[in-house]
Amino acid sequence: MPTMESESSTVSRAEELKSSANEAFKAHKYSQAIDLYSQAIELNEQNAVYWANRAFAHTKLEEYGSAIHDATKAIEIDPKYSKGYYRRGAAYLAMGKFKEALKDFQQVKRICPNDPDAAKKLKECEKAVMKLKFEEAISVPVAERRSIADSIDYRSIVARMTTSSMLVTAAVAVVLAAALMAAKFMSIGAVLAIMALAASIMVIVFPLARTIVLQTRELLRTLPSLVDITVPNGKQFTVCGDVHGQFYDLLNIFELNGLPSDDNPYLFNGDFVDRGSFSLEVILTLFAFKCMCPSAMYLARGNHESRSMNKIYGFEGEVRSKLSETFVELFAEVFCCLPLAHVINQKVFVVHGGLFSVDGVKLSDIRAIDRFCEPPEEGLMCEVLWSDPQSNLGRGPSKRGVGLSFGPDVTKRFLQDNNLDLVVRSHEVKDEGYEIEHDGKLITVFSAPNYCDQMGNKGALIRFEAPEMKPNIVTFPAVSHPDVKPMAYANNFLRMFS
């Protein structure tokens, strides 16, 4: 039986761990903070503060499912602990679960009736729920919706465009500059300078931007949900992870690794937009390259290529601010056309999120997914976009609250069942820009360095050269960008927590 002295020592040690975790959190070392809070919880699991603090750290890593679990535990320990409801409400908001968040912020207001911050967040949450109810009331059933894209003839727009109108958008600068470089009239440095200048001006010619989006949609619609890529012997192929609206880091990738071309093709593996405040420049650039040379640019859907994410994390607001409401609908339609996965040289499986809740999934099953819709909350399409690897064997609940976690045995069986060598996925920020897991059979690649201007991580890309197709990982730091903060166009209530 423990003595009072030993209990006091245990409590003291737990507090020391909490203090160390707090310091790690302040230094933006959120994974380290989670480990330290976990150690404190092991010593004193009845301390609600430890659970709530760990919930906050999970939120910073976008692990909203884990954050909700920890915040709920804090509430169970102390039903009057306002921060438990506060942390859970913030996680619900980040997941777009406004009604659940509203209940938690109402409880915060009851516990702290004179807290102006709680009152402000409650008011914003009430606005979001009212807006959601209004949108639900006026929404048209999916079966009855008319495609905006189908009502526009982009070919007639192209015919009407003049040369002068093509010089004032980042996307056009890409097409023009890349064409000039192909003719050996410009250096890559000059090409990138033109792209950056055009983005800084950001005067969008509506007809041209619309043409690029519509032409990309037409190209993507012809593709299967799983695209097979063939890299000839002696040639290389580059896979990039999340870019998240960090346009100037995208330019840096092209400076380091060359512009996309038939001899230098790229696959960008989802999450092109949201969070970063230059998402429109990113997506128009990638789409322009796709239109200019389809075999030089492959694009996969990420979990942020969806209406629900774009509504919360900034892309919808950015498009509405820089272009128009029509473009919000256009991008939503094009995102539903993006393929879900790629296989390179019948060896490397590339997907944004991860693997599946059941064994025996074949490539033909992925190819057969009807992807032309908003992502569902379960099933193969959901898991492709949302799942994450875990170190433990088997499967577990998702730390995000969507999809699942899958272990090295799951990866091994999937590769064996489909005669593949490697899984490449993205979806998670990594300190070095990448991480190799599951006995070397799975690589995470993340291409947004210093994510959200605060994580301090490197970015990475992976080069494969045929026929060996061995991964050659290149890392790079963040570059400077104009003074526009991440989440500048995000939903107002979410910016309160950023």
Side-chain angles (χ1 to χ4, degrees), residues 270-342:
D271 282 12
F272 323 121
V273 301
D274 280 339
R275 294 198 178 271
S277 296
F278 303 95
S279 291
L280 186 58
E281 290 86 339
V282 167
I283 199 65
L284 286 177
T285 298
L286 296 178
F287 280 5
F289 274 119
K290 185 66 179 176
C291 294
M292 183 178 67
C293 186
S295 60
M297 179 63 67
Y298 295 87
L299 301 169
R301 193 174 193 175
N303 63 301
H304 276 267
E305 278 69 58
S306 68
R307 286 179 185 267
S308 60
M309 293 291 102
N310 298 162
K311 189 179 294 292
I312 299 171
Y313 289 98
F315 184 59
E316 182 176 304
E318 183 180 345
V319 172
R320 190 177 287 115
S321 174
K322 294 178 179 178
L323 293 174
S324 69
E325 186 68 36
T326 298
F327 278 90
V328 172
E329 294 301 315
L330 277 176
F331 279 113
E333 288 188 18
V334 178
F335 288 167
C336 290
C337 301
L338 287 163
L340 302 177
H342 293 77

Side-chain angles (χ1 to χ4, degrees), residues 426-444:
S426 304
H427 196 38
E428 286 183 285
V429 60
K430 298 295 182 181
D431 287 343
E432 294 301 313
Y434 73 97
E435 186 172 1
I436 301 173
E437 301 173 83
H438 293 187
D439 302 317
K441 296 296 185 181
L442 182 144
I443 303 176
T444 296

Side-chain angles (χ1 to χ4, degrees), residues 307-442:
R307 286 179 185 267
S308 60
M309 293 291 102
N310 298 162
K311 189 179 294 292
I312 299 171
Y313 289 98
F315 184 59
E316 182 176 304
E318 183 180 345
V319 172
R320 190 177 287 115
S321 174
K322 294 178 179 178
L323 293 174
S324 69
E325 186 68 36
T326 298
F327 278 90
V328 172
E329 294 301 315
L330 277 176
F331 279 113
E333 288 188 18
V334 178
F335 288 167
C336 290
C337 301
L338 287 163
L340 302 177
H342 293 77
V343 172
I344 310 172
N345 281 17
Q346 301 180 334
K347 291 184 176 182
V348 182
F349 178 71
V350 187
V351 66
H352 179 73
L355 300 182
F356 309 102
S357 56
V358 294
D359 288 332
V361 174
K362 298 296 181 65
L363 297 182
S364 57
D365 297 320
I366 304 168
R367 195 173 283 110
I369 295 173
D370 181 4
R371 71 183 188 278
F372 298 98
C373 61
E374 289 300 312
E377 294 188 3
E378 59 184 8
L380 296 185
M381 182 172 172
C382 170
E383 291 161 5
V384 156
L385 299 175
W386 282 96
S387 293
D388 294 291
Q390 64 180 24
S391 57
N392 297 332
L393 296 175
R395 296 175 172 90
S398 169
K399 57 192 176 186
R400 299 175 189 268
V402 188
L404 71 143
S405 297
F406 60 96
D409 53 329
V410 176
T411 298
K412 181 179 179 181
R413 284 195 297 271
F414 175 80
L415 292 174
Q416 289 176 341
D417 289 346
N418 291 283
N419 196 28
L420 297 165
D421 295 340
L422 180 69
V423 173
V424 173
R425 43 91 60 180
S426 304
H427 196 38
E428 286 183 285
V429 60
K430 298 295 182 181
D431 287 343
E432 294 301 313
Y434 73 97
E435 186 172 1
I436 301 173
E437 301 173 83
H438 293 187
D439 302 317
K441 296 296 185 181
L442 182 144

Side-chain angles (χ1 to χ4, degrees), residues 30-55:
Y30 302 118
S31 295
Q32 182 181 344
I34 288 170
D35 289 340
L36 290 166
Y37 287 132
S38 298
Q39 293 178 47
I41 288 168
E42 288 178 7
L43 294 175
N44 184 6
E45 63 179 12
Q46 292 304 307
N47 189 313
V49 174
Y50 301 166
W51 292 95
N53 285 6
R54 193 171 75 173

